[in-house]
Amino acid sequence: MPTRILLVGAGAIGAFYGSRLACAPNTAVSALCRSSYKAVKANGFKVTSPNYGDSMFRPEHTFGSPDEAKQAALSWDYLLVATKALPDVNDDSTLLEGLVGPETSIVLVQNGLGVEEPYRKRFPKASILSAVTIASAVQPNHGSITHNRWTRISIGPYLPHLDSGSTTAEPSDDTATQKNSRLVELLKAGGIADAELYDHAGLQFVRWHKIAINAAMNPSSVLSGGTGNQEMSTDPELSRHLLAVMNEVLETAPKVLGKPLPPKLASAERILGSTKKNSSGSKPSMQIDWEKGNRLELEVILGNPIRIARDKGIEMPRLQSMYALLRKAQENREQAKESKL
Ligand SMILES: NC(=O)C1=CN([C@@H]2O[C@H](COP(=O)(O)OP(=O)(O)OC[C@H]3O[C@@H](n4cnc5c(N)ncnc54)[C@H](OP(=O)(O)O)[C@@H]3O)[C@@H](O)[C@H]2O)C=CC1
Ligand SMILES: CC(C)(CO)C(=O)C(=O)O
């Protein structure tokens, strides 16, 4: 039997990593699509990448709805979720109803903090793997994926009971850890050399570290009227703001997680230095979503970090200001859209 993987949200990131996993031996990758269903069912995915060249990736099965996936009655080893994380809009954990069996691991490849919780609450017995990627990919047309650069994906089992000070492992922890190692092996076999294995605590640090980048760059671009990454990092006032936001996150993370930040994670100064050198003209994904009129990943990038820190008695004033402003701007825009209908 092959290792069966279903992509839930086969957009830029889901289809890119899916196309690599499909190259690993004895692996069958299927896709649950939404608006790209017809294009993918007819032609599969065309993936272009500076690392892997141009390739076609035909899913074993292409489903147009969660019900269709359920009716296939297949047993999934991994459900790889790579939808945009928008808990204020949809609870995407409902998409997995009827697909999670005793052998299934749920893999969340999404930005943000707290993305695992809706899945843990709905599927308390399932093993959940949490993944953070540094990559740049887009889906310019249905079924066409352009991978631009970077392939780093860090994955760890999500075992939040270990956070509460208890060192008592649960029997299912070993399964999650083994499934995690296996997924990293599959990604490496598919050519992702920088797939990285973490334990629960290590991966949560990686999530906070990525939040430092996303909470600084993404809302600042929208609030500054669409400034690109490099221009923000070289502007005298904006660059001070970015550094201060990143440091606010990097100083909060150890207080929340109860351990010092691992030294291998880059400092705010180093992140800013490499952004200054990024001459690709890139803009943060939140700005691109704002331009398209899409809902923003505000809750997982700003709201959840603020709330998680506040629960521990810590305020994050720079994040809070940006969150309050953008939340209202988004709300006003949604109301304006509705009043036009
Ligand atoms: N793109 C990148 O370079 C990076 C992205 N990330 C993170 O990865 C995650 C995924 O981002 P990205 O791949 O860019 O997003 P995309 O918008 O490209 O892909 C999301 C996909 O999920 C699909 N989807 C959403 N809801 C459903 C549903 N109910 N049923 C079936 N399919 C659904 C969307 O379909 P539809 O087209 O119909 O909306 C879309 O194809 C985000 O959290 C993002 O922040 C992290 C690092 C880099
Ligand atoms: C590239 C980067 C770090 C810019 O903020 C990003 O992750 C995004 O656009 O969402």
Side-chain angles (χ1 to χ4, degrees), residues 60-273:
E60 184 192 24
H61 300 278
T62 302
F63 303 115
S65 69
D67 271 350
E68 198 189 333
K70 225 182 296 173
Q71 278 156 20
L74 290 162
S75 158
W76 302 103
D77 295 292
Y78 296 97
L79 296 172
L80 191 148
V81 180
T83 53
K84 291 264 182 174
L86 299 168
D88 47 332
V89 182
N90 304 304
D91 177 358
D92 283 347
S93 69
T94 60
L95 302 174
L96 274 49
E97 292 277 17
L99 299 175
V100 180
E103 64 301 309
T104 309
S105 296
I106 300 168
V107 189
L108 300 166
V109 192
Q110 294 177 312
N111 274 331
L113 287 188
V115 294
E116 305 92 346
E117 275 303 292
Y119 295 85
R120 186 188 65 82
K121 286 189 182 129
R122 192 171 297 277
F123 305 107
K125 292 196 183 127
S127 65
I128 296 179
L129 311 182
S130 185
V132 176
T133 179
I134 304 269
S136 164
V138 288
Q139 179 170 214
N141 302 300
H142 290 149
S144 282
I145 307 296
T146 308
H147 169 236
N148 296 313
R149 66 189 82 80
W150 306 311
T151 55
R152 189 182 317 149
I153 182 159
S154 313
I155 316 180
Y158 181 65
L159 307 172
H161 50 279
L162 300 180
D163 290 337
S164 54
S166 127
T167 46
T168 324
E170 289 183 3
S172 53
D173 291 5
D174 282 349
T175 312
T177 302
Q178 281 160 17
K179 292 291 294 284
N180 193 58
S181 305
R182 178 76 189 125
L183 183 62
V184 170
E185 278 167 22
L186 290 174
L187 282 160
K188 284 185 187 284
I192 305 286
D194 47 1
E196 300 178 324
L197 190 69
Y198 279 86
D199 63 8
H200 166 77
L203 196 278
Q204 290 304 313
F205 265 119
V206 177
R207 275 208 176 274
W208 274 90
H209 189 260
K210 181 84 195 280
I211 279 293
I213 307 174
N214 287 130
M217 305 294 175
N218 295 21
S220 306
S221 177
V222 182
L223 289 167
S224 65
T227 318
N229 288 313
Q230 187 181 42
E231 196 185 339
M232 286 194 286
S233 69
T234 51
D235 178 87
E237 286 303 326
L238 264 174
S239 65
R240 279 169 179 257
H241 158 79
L242 296 180
L243 260 186
V245 174
M246 287 193 274
N247 279 324
E248 183 170 281
V249 176
L250 297 179
E251 282 159 20
T252 302
K255 293 181 196 154
V256 169
L257 298 174
K259 291 185 189 134
L261 202 66
K264 95 171 212 193
L265 298 176
S267 66
E269 287 74 14
R270 238 180 84 198
I271 297 166
L272 194 71

Side-chain angles (χ1 to χ4, degrees), residues 270-291:
R270 238 180 84 198
I271 297 166
L272 194 71
S274 54
T275 310
K276 282 182 184 163
K277 288 188 223 140
N278 176 359
S279 58
S280 65
S282 66
K283 288 186 177 181
S285 55
M286 194 175 274
Q287 170 59 25
I288 293 164
D289 280 330
W290 182 256
E291 286 167 15

